[in-house]
Amino acid sequence: MTAFTRAIVRPPAANFAQGLTSVDLGMPDVALALEQHAQYCAALEQCGLALTRLPADARFADSTFVEDTAIITDRCAILTRPGAGSRAGEVAAIEPIVRTHFSRIHRIAAPGTLDGGDVCQVDAHFFIGISERTNAEGARQLAGFLAQAGFTSTTVDIRGVSGILHLKSGISYLGDKRLVVIDALADRPEFSDHAIVRIDAEENYAANFLRINESVIVSAGFPRFEACVRGFGYPLIALDMSEFRKMDGALSCLSLRF
Ligand code: CIR
């Protein structure tokens, strides 16, 4: 399991509610989103991470979801080319901070598109989702950069799987060879080499969580998944993510961890 020491975060801007969403959960309350973001940052710090806190950026209503702009590993960094046109400029806004940590940076080029939310690292292997945001060409370019760094990867086509925007809306790596997967993806042959922990359909949103060093950060309100994580013995932090969920966001989207 990768050991993390740092994370990059950016709070939601005043126009957060004007971002993209595919769910019908109402308008987010920006003040509450800011509070939830502060709790999220405190949880990352509690897990031992030093945070780089970027300023809110109202040029891009979705800019708090920094995960989509870059893939950062312990061997290389790749700037993405987000699949939503309204988010394209977010990459230039994250590039300077990524450059302070990595001298050699790759980037996804047109016609490739790739959102970081479609990329799930499982030790030295990466699953890359082909989605409404990430196309086959973006996945092919990323797989090439990862291979140069000695990583392996496979693609997982999630188009047509309802209720998930990105691959990591439906799978996350718990560590210790355990891959947590929503029911709709649990039987995919791509995951057959892994120990699968299934998420019940009513708890699908819980499939996006963070394993940070020893701890697991989960979204509050999913008691069966919480009990499952506790049963494995991981220290657990549960965070209210209600306002980010209204904008199709979840725990992993709010940071770049390395
Ligand atoms: C979007 O639609 O792009 C944002 N409203 C949500 C992005 C969530 N990002 C992620 O899951 N990595």
PDB file of all heavy atoms in Angstrom, residues 20-21 62 65 67-68 87 117 133 165-166 247-249 252-253, ligand 1:
ATOM      1  N   LEU A  20     -21.148  21.054 -12.501  1.00  0.00           N
ATOM      2  CA  LEU A  20     -21.866  19.978 -13.198  1.00  0.00           C
ATOM      3  C   LEU A  20     -22.445  18.998 -12.186  1.00  0.00           C
ATOM      4  O   LEU A  20     -21.825  18.713 -11.175  1.00  0.00           O
ATOM      5  CB  LEU A  20     -20.887  19.213 -14.095  1.00  0.00           C
ATOM      6  CG  LEU A  20     -20.142  20.023 -15.141  1.00  0.00           C
ATOM      7  CD1 LEU A  20     -19.033  19.170 -15.760  1.00  0.00           C
ATOM      8  CD2 LEU A  20     -21.120  20.493 -16.217  1.00  0.00           C
ATOM      9  N   THR A  21     -23.609  18.490 -12.504  1.00  0.00           N
ATOM     10  CA  THR A  21     -24.118  17.372 -11.709  1.00  0.00           C
ATOM     11  C   THR A  21     -25.096  16.554 -12.529  1.00  0.00           C
ATOM     12  O   THR A  21     -25.760  17.076 -13.425  1.00  0.00           O
ATOM     13  CB  THR A  21     -24.759  17.835 -10.377  1.00  0.00           C
ATOM     14  OG1 THR A  21     -25.015  16.666  -9.579  1.00  0.00           O
ATOM     15  CG2 THR A  21     -26.044  18.608 -10.567  1.00  0.00           C
ATOM     16  N   ASP A  62     -16.316  23.633 -10.575  1.00  0.00           N
ATOM     17  CA  ASP A  62     -16.015  22.274 -10.095  1.00  0.00           C
ATOM     18  C   ASP A  62     -14.586  22.134  -9.574  1.00  0.00           C
ATOM     19  O   ASP A  62     -14.120  21.009  -9.346  1.00  0.00           O
ATOM     20  CB  ASP A  62     -16.234  21.269 -11.244  1.00  0.00           C
ATOM     21  CG  ASP A  62     -17.712  20.947 -11.437  1.00  0.00           C
ATOM     22  OD1 ASP A  62     -18.369  20.575 -10.443  1.00  0.00           O
ATOM     23  OD2 ASP A  62     -18.211  21.069 -12.575  1.00  0.00           O
ATOM     24  N   PHE A  65     -12.877  19.742  -6.969  1.00  0.00           N
ATOM     25  CA  PHE A  65     -12.674  18.314  -7.243  1.00  0.00           C
ATOM     26  C   PHE A  65     -11.308  18.115  -7.909  1.00  0.00           C
ATOM     27  O   PHE A  65     -11.208  17.675  -9.064  1.00  0.00           O
ATOM     28  CB  PHE A  65     -13.815  17.776  -8.104  1.00  0.00           C
ATOM     29  CG  PHE A  65     -15.171  17.934  -7.446  1.00  0.00           C
ATOM     30  CD1 PHE A  65     -16.144  18.755  -7.986  1.00  0.00           C
ATOM     31  CD2 PHE A  65     -15.450  17.275  -6.260  1.00  0.00           C
ATOM     32  CE1 PHE A  65     -17.387  18.906  -7.372  1.00  0.00           C
ATOM     33  CE2 PHE A  65     -16.695  17.420  -5.634  1.00  0.00           C
ATOM     34  CZ  PHE A  65     -17.656  18.236  -6.191  1.00  0.00           C
ATOM     35  N   GLU A  67      -8.985  16.070  -7.748  1.00  0.00           N
ATOM     36  CA  GLU A  67      -8.512  14.741  -8.163  1.00  0.00           C
ATOM     37  C   GLU A  67      -8.562  14.549  -9.673  1.00  0.00           C
ATOM     38  O   GLU A  67      -7.753  13.807 -10.239  1.00  0.00           O
ATOM     39  CB  GLU A  67      -9.373  13.662  -7.510  1.00  0.00           C
ATOM     40  CG  GLU A  67      -9.009  12.264  -7.983  1.00  0.00           C
ATOM     41  CD  GLU A  67      -9.890  11.184  -7.395  1.00  0.00           C
ATOM     42  OE1 GLU A  67     -11.112  11.188  -7.642  1.00  0.00           O
ATOM     43  OE2 GLU A  67      -9.350  10.359  -6.664  1.00  0.00           O
ATOM     44  N   ASP A  68      -9.514  15.195 -10.331  1.00  0.00           N
ATOM     45  CA  ASP A  68      -9.698  14.932 -11.757  1.00  0.00           C
ATOM     46  C   ASP A  68      -8.610  15.539 -12.642  1.00  0.00           C
ATOM     47  O   ASP A  68      -8.539  15.213 -13.824  1.00  0.00           O
ATOM     48  CB  ASP A  68     -11.089  15.430 -12.196  1.00  0.00           C
ATOM     49  CG  ASP A  68     -12.184  14.601 -11.555  1.00  0.00           C
ATOM     50  OD1 ASP A  68     -12.033  13.364 -11.520  1.00  0.00           O
ATOM     51  OD2 ASP A  68     -13.165  15.181 -11.064  1.00  0.00           O
ATOM     52  N   ARG A  87     -14.328  22.081 -17.505  1.00  0.00           N
ATOM     53  CA  ARG A  87     -13.286  21.836 -16.513  1.00  0.00           C
ATOM     54  C   ARG A  87     -11.868  21.869 -17.105  1.00  0.00           C
ATOM     55  O   ARG A  87     -10.885  21.698 -16.373  1.00  0.00           O
ATOM     56  CB  ARG A  87     -13.545  20.494 -15.814  1.00  0.00           C
ATOM     57  CG  ARG A  87     -14.913  20.436 -15.130  1.00  0.00           C
ATOM     58  CD  ARG A  87     -15.020  19.302 -14.143  1.00  0.00           C
ATOM     59  NE  ARG A  87     -14.006  19.435 -13.103  1.00  0.00           N
ATOM     60  CZ  ARG A  87     -13.727  18.493 -12.217  1.00  0.00           C
ATOM     61  NH1 ARG A  87     -14.376  17.355 -12.231  1.00  0.00           N
ATOM     62  NH2 ARG A  87     -12.782  18.682 -11.305  1.00  0.00           N
ATOM     63  N   GLY A 117     -10.769  10.808 -11.545  1.00  0.00           N
ATOM     64  CA  GLY A 117     -11.745   9.964 -10.859  1.00  0.00           C
ATOM     65  C   GLY A 117     -11.924   8.600 -11.510  1.00  0.00           C
ATOM     66  O   GLY A 117     -12.495   7.692 -10.903  1.00  0.00           O
ATOM     67  N   ARG A 133     -16.449  10.524 -19.355  1.00  0.00           N
ATOM     68  CA  ARG A 133     -15.398  11.542 -19.241  1.00  0.00           C
ATOM     69  C   ARG A 133     -14.045  11.076 -19.799  1.00  0.00           C
ATOM     70  O   ARG A 133     -13.279  11.874 -20.333  1.00  0.00           O
ATOM     71  CB  ARG A 133     -15.207  11.926 -17.767  1.00  0.00           C
ATOM     72  CG  ARG A 133     -16.442  12.526 -17.111  1.00  0.00           C
ATOM     73  CD  ARG A 133     -16.727  13.927 -17.640  1.00  0.00           C
ATOM     74  NE  ARG A 133     -17.932  14.473 -17.043  1.00  0.00           N
ATOM     75  CZ  ARG A 133     -17.951  15.112 -15.872  1.00  0.00           C
ATOM     76  NH1 ARG A 133     -16.847  15.272 -15.176  1.00  0.00           N
ATOM     77  NH2 ARG A 133     -19.098  15.593 -15.407  1.00  0.00           N
ATOM     78  N   LEU A 165     -20.497   8.145 -12.059  1.00  0.00           N
ATOM     79  CA  LEU A 165     -19.885   9.096 -12.989  1.00  0.00           C
ATOM     80  C   LEU A 165     -18.513   8.595 -13.413  1.00  0.00           C
ATOM     81  O   LEU A 165     -18.139   8.652 -14.580  1.00  0.00           O
ATOM     82  CB  LEU A 165     -19.758  10.467 -12.297  1.00  0.00           C
ATOM     83  CG  LEU A 165     -19.032  11.564 -13.069  1.00  0.00           C
ATOM     84  CD1 LEU A 165     -19.824  11.963 -14.307  1.00  0.00           C
ATOM     85  CD2 LEU A 165     -18.792  12.789 -12.182  1.00  0.00           C
ATOM     86  N   HIS A 166     -17.747   8.145 -12.422  1.00  0.00           N
ATOM     87  CA  HIS A 166     -16.365   7.716 -12.642  1.00  0.00           C
ATOM     88  C   HIS A 166     -16.172   6.278 -12.136  1.00  0.00           C
ATOM     89  O   HIS A 166     -16.957   5.804 -11.310  1.00  0.00           O
ATOM     90  CB  HIS A 166     -15.405   8.617 -11.845  1.00  0.00           C
ATOM     91  CG  HIS A 166     -15.266  10.003 -12.381  1.00  0.00           C
ATOM     92  ND1 HIS A 166     -15.485  11.123 -11.608  1.00  0.00           N
ATOM     93  CD2 HIS A 166     -14.884  10.464 -13.597  1.00  0.00           C
ATOM     94  CE1 HIS A 166     -15.259  12.208 -12.334  1.00  0.00           C
ATOM     95  NE2 HIS A 166     -14.905  11.842 -13.543  1.00  0.00           N
ATOM     96  N   MET A 247     -23.286  17.361  -5.990  1.00  0.00           N
ATOM     97  CA  MET A 247     -22.590  17.756  -7.212  1.00  0.00           C
ATOM     98  C   MET A 247     -21.789  16.586  -7.798  1.00  0.00           C
ATOM     99  O   MET A 247     -20.803  16.777  -8.498  1.00  0.00           O
ATOM    100  CB  MET A 247     -21.642  18.941  -6.921  1.00  0.00           C
ATOM    101  CG  MET A 247     -22.328  20.171  -6.350  1.00  0.00           C
ATOM    102  SD  MET A 247     -23.766  20.713  -7.309  1.00  0.00           S
ATOM    103  CE  MET A 247     -22.945  21.354  -8.768  1.00  0.00           C
ATOM    104  N   ASP A 248     -22.233  15.356  -7.494  1.00  0.00           N
ATOM    105  CA  ASP A 248     -21.577  14.155  -8.034  1.00  0.00           C
ATOM    106  C   ASP A 248     -20.178  13.935  -7.461  1.00  0.00           C
ATOM    107  O   ASP A 248     -19.376  13.193  -8.051  1.00  0.00           O
ATOM    108  CB  ASP A 248     -21.432  14.217  -9.566  1.00  0.00           C
ATOM    109  CG  ASP A 248     -22.550  13.491 -10.281  1.00  0.00           C
ATOM    110  OD1 ASP A 248     -23.105  12.543  -9.700  1.00  0.00           O
ATOM    111  OD2 ASP A 248     -22.851  13.882 -11.420  1.00  0.00           O
ATOM    112  N   GLY A 249     -19.876  14.566  -6.357  1.00  0.00           N
ATOM    113  CA  GLY A 249     -18.542  14.427  -5.784  1.00  0.00           C
ATOM    114  C   GLY A 249     -18.548  13.479  -4.593  1.00  0.00           C
ATOM    115  O   GLY A 249     -19.580  13.237  -3.977  1.00  0.00           O
ATOM    116  N   SER A 252     -12.772  10.859  -2.614  1.00  0.00           N
ATOM    117  CA  SER A 252     -11.489  10.883  -3.321  1.00  0.00           C
ATOM    118  C   SER A 252     -11.340  12.128  -4.177  1.00  0.00           C
ATOM    119  O   SER A 252     -10.238  12.659  -4.348  1.00  0.00           O
ATOM    120  CB  SER A 252     -11.315   9.620  -4.178  1.00  0.00           C
ATOM    121  OG  SER A 252     -12.166   9.655  -5.301  1.00  0.00           O
ATOM    122  N   CYS A 253     -12.454  12.648  -4.701  1.00  0.00           N
ATOM    123  CA  CYS A 253     -12.390  13.784  -5.650  1.00  0.00           C
ATOM    124  C   CYS A 253     -11.777  15.030  -5.052  1.00  0.00           C
ATOM    125  O   CYS A 253     -11.288  15.886  -5.774  1.00  0.00           O
ATOM    126  CB  CYS A 253     -13.781  14.191  -6.127  1.00  0.00           C
ATOM    127  SG  CYS A 253     -15.006  12.947  -6.104  1.00  0.00           S
TER     128      CYS A 253
HETATM  129  C1  CIR B   1     -18.104  16.884 -12.259  1.00  0.00           C
HETATM  130  O1  CIR B   1     -19.178  16.534 -12.747  1.00  0.00           O
HETATM  131  O2  CIR B   1     -17.068  16.896 -12.905  1.00  0.00           O
HETATM  132  C2  CIR B   1     -18.080  17.321 -10.812  1.00  0.00           C
HETATM  133  N1  CIR B   1     -19.310  17.963 -10.481  1.00  0.00           N
HETATM  134  C3  CIR B   1     -17.849  16.145  -9.906  1.00  0.00           C
HETATM  135  C4  CIR B   1     -16.513  15.512 -10.095  1.00  0.00           C
HETATM  136  C5  CIR B   1     -16.277  14.370  -9.168  1.00  0.00           C
HETATM  137  N2  CIR B   1     -14.940  13.908  -9.280  1.00  0.00           N
HETATM  138  C6  CIR B   1     -14.527  12.692  -8.982  1.00  0.00           C
HETATM  139  O3  CIR B   1     -15.330  11.811  -8.702  1.00  0.00           O
HETATM  140  N3  CIR B   1     -13.234  12.431  -9.090  1.00  0.00           N
END
